[in-house]
Amino acid sequence: MTDQQLRGLEKTRAGNDLALRAELSLIALTETKHWPVADDQEIIRVPHATWSNALTQLDAGVFVDVLIPVTTVEARATGARRIREAKTAIRDGRYVHAVALARAALDPVREACNTKQLHDQAVQRKAGERDQDERWAMLTQSAYALFSGAPHDDAGTTENFTWTRADAIAAVATAAGLLARLEELP
């Protein structure tokens, strides 16, 4: 299989399980008048995780897992649920909805890390002078602002936004990574 064929397969698979159809023909070599003896089709399913691991081993791609612990902190558990729902939305081709869910999943991050206040003080300084917390706040607030284009149709700006599968994946992965960072916070 060529790299181009593999890319086409991955685009078609769209993050779902890999489904292959095998066309089988049984031939009786001694009974040529009855050729073929039987035909059948078999669907072979390869789970997403198994296929992604195989691609990684072939150096044909990489799969990144982000585990978001479902904690007793209600807002964080809600954020994790939103990421799960966003993954389903991507699988179903509902990319705008997936980005909107990624935006909502950032709410507990913004609250726990006080990103709004940190962002507002950080923009007053040169980028090279910002500390690590301010830089995380800049990332979080920028992601939130970008993803806010999905649930809004503001005239002249967000009404013209379009969201592709790749955009939705980037949004969900970003939100998932930022949400997973909360595990190390009290």
Side-chain angles (χ1 to χ4, degrees):
M1 180 176 273
T2 67
D3 288 346
Q4 185 175 5
Q5 289 170 324
L6 192 56
R7 279 192 297 277
L9 178 67
E10 280 302 286
K11 186 173 184 175
T12 302
R13 186 175 73 88
N16 294 312
D17 292 348
L18 177 64
L20 303 170
R21 182 177 52 215
E23 304 266 346
L24 306 170
S25 293
L26 177 65
I27 302 171
L29 297 176
T30 60
E31 302 280 332
T32 57
K33 64 182 178 181
H34 299 290
W35 183 89
V37 174
D39 283 318
D40 196 13
Q41 290 184 2
E42 185 70 29
I43 302 295
I44 302 163
R45 294 207 174 276
V46 181
H48 167 72
T50 302
W51 179 249
S52 297
N53 287 335
L55 287 177
T56 300
Q57 291 172 3
L58 292 172
D59 279 339
V62 66
F63 179 71
V64 177
D65 286 319
V66 179
L67 177 63
I68 304 167
V70 179
T71 67
T72 56
V73 179
E74 185 178 339
R76 295 177 191 180
T78 298
R81 181 181 47 78
R82 287 176 174 153
I83 294 295
R84 188 172 35 250
E85 291 171 5
K87 286 181 59 177
T88 300
I90 290 170
R91 186 188 69 228
D92 295 343
R94 297 178 297 134
Y95 307 134
V96 173
H97 186 59
V99 175
L101 287 165
R103 173 193 179 256
L106 288 175
D107 288 342
V109 176
R110 296 175 72 225
E111 182 180 330
C113 299
N114 197 22
T115 59
K116 177 81 171 91
Q117 181 181 346
L118 281 171
H119 171 272
D120 290 348
Q121 81 185 33
V123 295
Q124 304 301 318
R125 298 167 42 164
K126 293 180 181 176
E129 296 173 356
R130 296 176 187 147
D131 65 24
Q132 189 173 13
D133 287 339
E134 290 172 333
R135 291 173 190 217
W136 279 113
M138 294 293 290
L139 172 63
T140 303
Q141 287 300 111
S142 293
Y144 185 82
L146 173 61
F147 306 162
S148 291
H152 295 285
D153 287 330
D154 298 331
T157 56
T158 58
E159 71 178 346
N160 300 315
F161 284 18
T162 58
W163 300 96
T164 65
R165 182 175 184 278
D167 295 336
I169 290 169
V172 172
T174 300
L178 291 169
L179 193 57
R181 287 186 72 244
L182 296 183
E183 181 181 16
E184 297 179 6
L185 297 179

PDB file of all heavy atoms in Angstrom, residues 65-71 76-77 79-81 83-84 105 172-173 175-183:
ATOM      1  N   ASP A  65      -2.885   9.639  22.603  1.00  0.00           N
ATOM      2  CA  ASP A  65      -3.944   9.423  23.583  1.00  0.00           C
ATOM      3  C   ASP A  65      -3.843  10.485  24.659  1.00  0.00           C
ATOM      4  O   ASP A  65      -2.754  10.801  25.126  1.00  0.00           O
ATOM      5  CB  ASP A  65      -3.793   8.057  24.267  1.00  0.00           C
ATOM      6  CG  ASP A  65      -4.183   6.911  23.368  1.00  0.00           C
ATOM      7  OD1 ASP A  65      -5.187   7.041  22.653  1.00  0.00           O
ATOM      8  OD2 ASP A  65      -3.488   5.888  23.388  1.00  0.00           O
ATOM      9  N   VAL A  66      -4.969  11.033  25.053  1.00  0.00           N
ATOM     10  CA  VAL A  66      -5.014  11.971  26.167  1.00  0.00           C
ATOM     11  C   VAL A  66      -6.038  11.425  27.150  1.00  0.00           C
ATOM     12  O   VAL A  66      -7.229  11.376  26.843  1.00  0.00           O
ATOM     13  CB  VAL A  66      -5.421  13.394  25.713  1.00  0.00           C
ATOM     14  CG1 VAL A  66      -5.489  14.338  26.906  1.00  0.00           C
ATOM     15  CG2 VAL A  66      -4.459  13.920  24.664  1.00  0.00           C
ATOM     16  N   LEU A  67      -5.564  10.992  28.294  1.00  0.00           N
ATOM     17  CA  LEU A  67      -6.465  10.484  29.322  1.00  0.00           C
ATOM     18  C   LEU A  67      -6.859  11.638  30.226  1.00  0.00           C
ATOM     19  O   LEU A  67      -6.008  12.305  30.813  1.00  0.00           O
ATOM     20  CB  LEU A  67      -5.795   9.379  30.143  1.00  0.00           C
ATOM     21  CG  LEU A  67      -6.641   8.825  31.293  1.00  0.00           C
ATOM     22  CD1 LEU A  67      -7.897   8.154  30.754  1.00  0.00           C
ATOM     23  CD2 LEU A  67      -5.827   7.854  32.119  1.00  0.00           C
ATOM     24  N   ILE A  68      -8.154  11.870  30.306  1.00  0.00           N
ATOM     25  CA  ILE A  68      -8.680  12.915  31.180  1.00  0.00           C
ATOM     26  C   ILE A  68      -9.377  12.197  32.320  1.00  0.00           C
ATOM     27  O   ILE A  68     -10.447  11.612  32.112  1.00  0.00           O
ATOM     28  CB  ILE A  68      -9.670  13.830  30.447  1.00  0.00           C
ATOM     29  CG1 ILE A  68      -9.014  14.435  29.204  1.00  0.00           C
ATOM     30  CG2 ILE A  68     -10.190  14.915  31.376  1.00  0.00           C
ATOM     31  CD1 ILE A  68      -9.989  15.084  28.269  1.00  0.00           C
ATOM     32  N   PRO A  69      -8.786  12.196  33.497  1.00  0.00           N
ATOM     33  CA  PRO A  69      -9.421  11.505  34.616  1.00  0.00           C
ATOM     34  C   PRO A  69     -10.772  12.124  34.953  1.00  0.00           C
ATOM     35  O   PRO A  69     -10.921  13.342  34.970  1.00  0.00           O
ATOM     36  CB  PRO A  69      -8.443  11.699  35.769  1.00  0.00           C
ATOM     37  CG  PRO A  69      -7.164  12.135  35.138  1.00  0.00           C
ATOM     38  CD  PRO A  69      -7.522  12.808  33.865  1.00  0.00           C
ATOM     39  N   VAL A  70     -11.762  11.270  35.148  1.00  0.00           N
ATOM     40  CA  VAL A  70     -13.072  11.747  35.564  1.00  0.00           C
ATOM     41  C   VAL A  70     -13.036  11.792  37.081  1.00  0.00           C
ATOM     42  O   VAL A  70     -13.038  10.766  37.752  1.00  0.00           O
ATOM     43  CB  VAL A  70     -14.202  10.837  35.047  1.00  0.00           C
ATOM     44  CG1 VAL A  70     -15.554  11.344  35.527  1.00  0.00           C
ATOM     45  CG2 VAL A  70     -14.161  10.768  33.530  1.00  0.00           C
ATOM     46  N   THR A  71     -12.958  12.988  37.608  1.00  0.00           N
ATOM     47  CA  THR A  71     -12.785  13.186  39.044  1.00  0.00           C
ATOM     48  C   THR A  71     -14.121  13.499  39.700  1.00  0.00           C
ATOM     49  O   THR A  71     -15.157  13.580  39.043  1.00  0.00           O
ATOM     50  CB  THR A  71     -11.820  14.358  39.303  1.00  0.00           C
ATOM     51  OG1 THR A  71     -12.455  15.561  38.854  1.00  0.00           O
ATOM     52  CG2 THR A  71     -10.504  14.179  38.578  1.00  0.00           C
ATOM     53  N   ARG A  76     -14.786  19.514  36.191  1.00  0.00           N
ATOM     54  CA  ARG A  76     -13.797  18.747  35.428  1.00  0.00           C
ATOM     55  C   ARG A  76     -14.426  17.501  34.823  1.00  0.00           C
ATOM     56  O   ARG A  76     -14.122  17.122  33.695  1.00  0.00           O
ATOM     57  CB  ARG A  76     -12.608  18.390  36.312  1.00  0.00           C
ATOM     58  CG  ARG A  76     -11.850  19.627  36.758  1.00  0.00           C
ATOM     59  CD  ARG A  76     -10.710  19.295  37.686  1.00  0.00           C
ATOM     60  NE  ARG A  76     -10.185  20.520  38.300  1.00  0.00           N
ATOM     61  CZ  ARG A  76      -9.200  20.547  39.152  1.00  0.00           C
ATOM     62  NH1 ARG A  76      -8.605  19.429  39.524  1.00  0.00           N
ATOM     63  NH2 ARG A  76      -8.785  21.697  39.659  1.00  0.00           N
ATOM     64  N   ALA A  77     -15.329  16.859  35.564  1.00  0.00           N
ATOM     65  CA  ALA A  77     -16.039  15.689  35.042  1.00  0.00           C
ATOM     66  C   ALA A  77     -16.919  16.106  33.858  1.00  0.00           C
ATOM     67  O   ALA A  77     -17.010  15.385  32.856  1.00  0.00           O
ATOM     68  CB  ALA A  77     -16.877  15.040  36.137  1.00  0.00           C
ATOM     69  N   GLY A  79     -16.280  18.641  31.871  1.00  0.00           N
ATOM     70  CA  GLY A  79     -15.344  18.892  30.777  1.00  0.00           C
ATOM     71  C   GLY A  79     -14.951  17.597  30.075  1.00  0.00           C
ATOM     72  O   GLY A  79     -14.902  17.533  28.843  1.00  0.00           O
ATOM     73  N   ALA A  80     -14.690  16.552  30.854  1.00  0.00           N
ATOM     74  CA  ALA A  80     -14.336  15.246  30.278  1.00  0.00           C
ATOM     75  C   ALA A  80     -15.496  14.696  29.454  1.00  0.00           C
ATOM     76  O   ALA A  80     -15.301  14.159  28.355  1.00  0.00           O
ATOM     77  CB  ALA A  80     -13.948  14.273  31.383  1.00  0.00           C
ATOM     78  N   ARG A  81     -16.709  14.838  29.956  1.00  0.00           N
ATOM     79  CA  ARG A  81     -17.894  14.378  29.215  1.00  0.00           C
ATOM     80  C   ARG A  81     -18.023  15.142  27.894  1.00  0.00           C
ATOM     81  O   ARG A  81     -18.342  14.561  26.856  1.00  0.00           O
ATOM     82  CB  ARG A  81     -19.153  14.564  30.062  1.00  0.00           C
ATOM     83  CG  ARG A  81     -20.427  14.084  29.363  1.00  0.00           C
ATOM     84  CD  ARG A  81     -21.675  14.302  30.196  1.00  0.00           C
ATOM     85  NE  ARG A  81     -21.811  15.609  30.811  1.00  0.00           N
ATOM     86  CZ  ARG A  81     -22.212  16.711  30.171  1.00  0.00           C
ATOM     87  NH1 ARG A  81     -22.519  16.662  28.893  1.00  0.00           N
ATOM     88  NH2 ARG A  81     -22.320  17.864  30.817  1.00  0.00           N
ATOM     89  N   ILE A  83     -15.613  16.404  26.117  1.00  0.00           N
ATOM     90  CA  ILE A  83     -14.598  15.896  25.193  1.00  0.00           C
ATOM     91  C   ILE A  83     -15.084  14.585  24.575  1.00  0.00           C
ATOM     92  O   ILE A  83     -14.946  14.354  23.366  1.00  0.00           O
ATOM     93  CB  ILE A  83     -13.235  15.708  25.893  1.00  0.00           C
ATOM     94  CG1 ILE A  83     -12.656  17.073  26.322  1.00  0.00           C
ATOM     95  CG2 ILE A  83     -12.249  14.938  25.015  1.00  0.00           C
ATOM     96  CD1 ILE A  83     -12.307  18.004  25.176  1.00  0.00           C
ATOM     97  N   ARG A  84     -15.646  13.716  25.383  1.00  0.00           N
ATOM     98  CA  ARG A  84     -16.181  12.436  24.880  1.00  0.00           C
ATOM     99  C   ARG A  84     -17.270  12.703  23.833  1.00  0.00           C
ATOM    100  O   ARG A  84     -17.303  12.084  22.774  1.00  0.00           O
ATOM    101  CB  ARG A  84     -16.711  11.608  26.042  1.00  0.00           C
ATOM    102  CG  ARG A  84     -17.097  10.206  25.686  1.00  0.00           C
ATOM    103  CD  ARG A  84     -17.437   9.320  26.886  1.00  0.00           C
ATOM    104  NE  ARG A  84     -18.094   9.980  27.996  1.00  0.00           N
ATOM    105  CZ  ARG A  84     -17.538  10.224  29.187  1.00  0.00           C
ATOM    106  NH1 ARG A  84     -16.289   9.851  29.432  1.00  0.00           N
ATOM    107  NH2 ARG A  84     -18.219  10.816  30.148  1.00  0.00           N
ATOM    108  N   ALA A 105     -15.538  22.677  27.026  1.00  0.00           N
ATOM    109  CA  ALA A 105     -14.657  21.859  27.865  1.00  0.00           C
ATOM    110  C   ALA A 105     -13.533  22.687  28.484  1.00  0.00           C
ATOM    111  O   ALA A 105     -12.922  22.274  29.471  1.00  0.00           O
ATOM    112  CB  ALA A 105     -14.079  20.702  27.058  1.00  0.00           C
ATOM    113  N   VAL A 172     -10.433  19.716  19.676  1.00  0.00           N
ATOM    114  CA  VAL A 172     -10.700  18.727  20.727  1.00  0.00           C
ATOM    115  C   VAL A 172      -9.393  18.278  21.378  1.00  0.00           C
ATOM    116  O   VAL A 172      -9.319  18.154  22.603  1.00  0.00           O
ATOM    117  CB  VAL A 172     -11.508  17.541  20.165  1.00  0.00           C
ATOM    118  CG1 VAL A 172     -11.636  16.422  21.189  1.00  0.00           C
ATOM    119  CG2 VAL A 172     -12.888  18.011  19.718  1.00  0.00           C
ATOM    120  N   ALA A 173      -8.355  18.065  20.586  1.00  0.00           N
ATOM    121  CA  ALA A 173      -7.067  17.657  21.150  1.00  0.00           C
ATOM    122  C   ALA A 173      -6.491  18.747  22.053  1.00  0.00           C
ATOM    123  O   ALA A 173      -5.949  18.457  23.127  1.00  0.00           O
ATOM    124  CB  ALA A 173      -6.086  17.314  20.029  1.00  0.00           C
ATOM    125  N   ALA A 175      -8.193  21.155  23.679  1.00  0.00           N
ATOM    126  CA  ALA A 175      -9.003  21.236  24.902  1.00  0.00           C
ATOM    127  C   ALA A 175      -8.732  20.041  25.808  1.00  0.00           C
ATOM    128  O   ALA A 175      -8.624  20.194  27.034  1.00  0.00           O
ATOM    129  CB  ALA A 175     -10.485  21.313  24.544  1.00  0.00           C
ATOM    130  N   ALA A 176      -8.598  18.855  25.221  1.00  0.00           N
ATOM    131  CA  ALA A 176      -8.334  17.648  26.028  1.00  0.00           C
ATOM    132  C   ALA A 176      -6.995  17.765  26.748  1.00  0.00           C
ATOM    133  O   ALA A 176      -6.891  17.441  27.942  1.00  0.00           O
ATOM    134  CB  ALA A 176      -8.356  16.408  25.140  1.00  0.00           C
ATOM    135  N   GLY A 177      -5.975  18.237  26.055  1.00  0.00           N
ATOM    136  CA  GLY A 177      -4.668  18.392  26.679  1.00  0.00           C
ATOM    137  C   GLY A 177      -4.679  19.392  27.816  1.00  0.00           C
ATOM    138  O   GLY A 177      -4.099  19.161  28.884  1.00  0.00           O
ATOM    139  N   LEU A 178      -5.355  20.502  27.609  1.00  0.00           N
ATOM    140  CA  LEU A 178      -5.445  21.526  28.660  1.00  0.00           C
ATOM    141  C   LEU A 178      -6.264  21.024  29.838  1.00  0.00           C
ATOM    142  O   LEU A 178      -5.921  21.284  31.000  1.00  0.00           O
ATOM    143  CB  LEU A 178      -6.028  22.820  28.093  1.00  0.00           C
ATOM    144  CG  LEU A 178      -5.107  23.556  27.108  1.00  0.00           C
ATOM    145  CD1 LEU A 178      -5.860  24.673  26.392  1.00  0.00           C
ATOM    146  CD2 LEU A 178      -3.868  24.090  27.808  1.00  0.00           C
ATOM    147  N   LEU A 179      -7.308  20.282  29.568  1.00  0.00           N
ATOM    148  CA  LEU A 179      -8.136  19.720  30.637  1.00  0.00           C
ATOM    149  C   LEU A 179      -7.361  18.660  31.424  1.00  0.00           C
ATOM    150  O   LEU A 179      -7.455  18.596  32.657  1.00  0.00           O
ATOM    151  CB  LEU A 179      -9.407  19.123  30.032  1.00  0.00           C
ATOM    152  CG  LEU A 179     -10.550  18.764  30.956  1.00  0.00           C
ATOM    153  CD1 LEU A 179     -11.000  19.967  31.772  1.00  0.00           C
ATOM    154  CD2 LEU A 179     -11.718  18.216  30.143  1.00  0.00           C
ATOM    155  N   ALA A 180      -6.572  17.856  30.733  1.00  0.00           N
ATOM    156  CA  ALA A 180      -5.777  16.827  31.414  1.00  0.00           C
ATOM    157  C   ALA A 180      -4.745  17.434  32.361  1.00  0.00           C
ATOM    158  O   ALA A 180      -4.397  16.818  33.372  1.00  0.00           O
ATOM    159  CB  ALA A 180      -5.070  15.931  30.372  1.00  0.00           C
ATOM    160  N   ARG A 181      -4.272  18.634  32.060  1.00  0.00           N
ATOM    161  CA  ARG A 181      -3.312  19.309  32.945  1.00  0.00           C
ATOM    162  C   ARG A 181      -3.876  19.569  34.331  1.00  0.00           C
ATOM    163  O   ARG A 181      -3.126  19.712  35.296  1.00  0.00           O
ATOM    164  CB  ARG A 181      -2.871  20.658  32.345  1.00  0.00           C
ATOM    165  CG  ARG A 181      -1.941  20.562  31.176  1.00  0.00           C
ATOM    166  CD  ARG A 181      -1.442  21.942  30.736  1.00  0.00           C
ATOM    167  NE  ARG A 181      -0.491  22.470  31.721  1.00  0.00           N
ATOM    168  CZ  ARG A 181      -0.701  23.580  32.445  1.00  0.00           C
ATOM    169  NH1 ARG A 181      -1.784  24.289  32.300  1.00  0.00           N
ATOM    170  NH2 ARG A 181       0.208  23.988  33.303  1.00  0.00           N
ATOM    171  N   LEU A 182      -5.200  19.644  34.445  1.00  0.00           N
ATOM    172  CA  LEU A 182      -5.826  19.947  35.732  1.00  0.00           C
ATOM    173  C   LEU A 182      -5.617  18.829  36.754  1.00  0.00           C
ATOM    174  O   LEU A 182      -5.763  19.068  37.962  1.00  0.00           O
ATOM    175  CB  LEU A 182      -7.337  20.197  35.562  1.00  0.00           C
ATOM    176  CG  LEU A 182      -7.725  21.395  34.719  1.00  0.00           C
ATOM    177  CD1 LEU A 182      -9.235  21.551  34.704  1.00  0.00           C
ATOM    178  CD2 LEU A 182      -7.046  22.663  35.205  1.00  0.00           C
ATOM    179  N   GLU A 183      -5.269  17.638  36.291  1.00  0.00           N
ATOM    180  CA  GLU A 183      -5.053  16.525  37.215  1.00  0.00           C
ATOM    181  C   GLU A 183      -3.976  16.853  38.245  1.00  0.00           C
ATOM    182  O   GLU A 183      -4.032  16.395  39.383  1.00  0.00           O
ATOM    183  CB  GLU A 183      -4.667  15.262  36.450  1.00  0.00           C
ATOM    184  CG  GLU A 183      -4.445  14.064  37.334  1.00  0.00           C
ATOM    185  CD  GLU A 183      -4.041  12.837  36.554  1.00  0.00           C
ATOM    186  OE1 GLU A 183      -3.637  12.956  35.395  1.00  0.00           O
ATOM    187  OE2 GLU A 183      -4.104  11.760  37.141  1.00  0.00           O
TER     188      GLU A 183
END
